[in-house]
Amino acid sequence: MWLPGLEARAAALLGESATAAAAVEQAARQRDLVEPDDLDELGGLLTFPVEKELYYRVETAVLLGHGSQGTATGADAERAVTAFRDRNAAHWAFGDEAGARCNLAVVRLHDDQLEGAAEALRPVLDLPPAQRNRGIVVSAQRVQRAVGHSPARTTVLAQELREEIAQFSSATSPHALLR
């Protein structure tokens, strides 16, 4: 399921919505075929739990510019954040939680909910510099761009949020952005 999840996000970055949708569907079909075994109990980086699949599906929609109006994206974005709130869960990872929160912020901006976007993003902006890896910074910058295109872009809150994201992005660990 991980490979089509990655394919969906890559296709979305390229604006190829049909390819992205097909990859999302393929991931879901492959999930239905999974028969867990004792190796799955080990967990680790190479597992692809349902929560991560949800996060990737939402991110695909966000990258394609889909808001939540008339779609399940808003509810899925909320569910993804809820899934990654529990730091004791086997599937939890700070990067996945940050990415899910950034996606929720963008979805809320599509629905003109600037305060809700700022609320979703707050835990990400509070991450220490050592945890601000390239993926998290890129996700936060995606929120920054969405704020800049929001109808509320001229409000004080929008300006403050964009400035805080800029400071967040520049205050990273020196090793966090290395390739």
Side-chain angles (χ1 to χ4, degrees):
M1 290 105 14
W2 197 356
L3 188 57
L6 290 170
E7 180 183 0
R9 293 191 323 173
L13 278 169
L14 296 172
E16 297 176 5
S17 59
T19 303
V24 165
E25 288 176 25
Q26 181 182 5
R29 281 193 310 274
Q30 288 180 342
R31 168 79 55 205
D32 292 338
L33 300 175
V34 170
E35 292 184 28
D37 60 24
D38 57 337
L39 291 177
D40 292 305
E41 293 176 24
L42 294 175
L45 181 63
L46 296 180
T47 60
F48 196 72
V50 173
E51 296 83 2
K52 193 164 191 148
E53 182 182 351
L54 175 63
Y55 158 48
Y56 276 40
R57 185 171 64 239
V58 170
E59 186 154 288
T60 298
V62 165
L63 291 170
L64 288 169
H66 300 167
S68 67
Q69 296 171 344
T71 70
T73 304
D76 285 349
E78 295 278 354
R79 284 186 20 234
V81 168
T82 298
F84 285 106
R85 272 194 187 125
D86 181 4
R87 293 175 178 232
N88 296 315
H91 63 269
W92 183 83
F94 75 89
D96 291 342
E97 180 182 4
R101 287 183 171 283
C102 289
N103 290 337
L104 177 58
V106 172
V107 168
R108 286 180 174 172
L109 286 166
H110 277 281
D111 288 341
D112 297 327
Q113 297 177 21
L114 179 61
E115 288 180 11
E119 176 188 322
L121 193 61
R122 173 54 39 212
V124 177
L125 296 175
D126 290 341
L127 286 172
Q131 289 185 328
R132 298 175 190 179
N133 63 35
R134 187 176 194 299
I136 292 170
V137 169
V138 167
S139 293
Q141 289 171 336
R142 189 176 304 125
V143 177
Q144 185 180 35
R145 283 190 302 279
V147 171
H149 291 100
S150 165
R153 69 184 164 273
T154 59
T155 66
V156 172
L157 177 58
Q159 293 169 354
E160 288 173 350
L161 190 56
R162 284 198 321 257
E163 184 177 310
E164 189 172 1
I165 294 169
Q167 290 173 357
F168 170 87
S169 299
S170 66
T172 60
S173 164
H175 304 291
L177 298 179
L178 294 177
R179 291 180 187 244

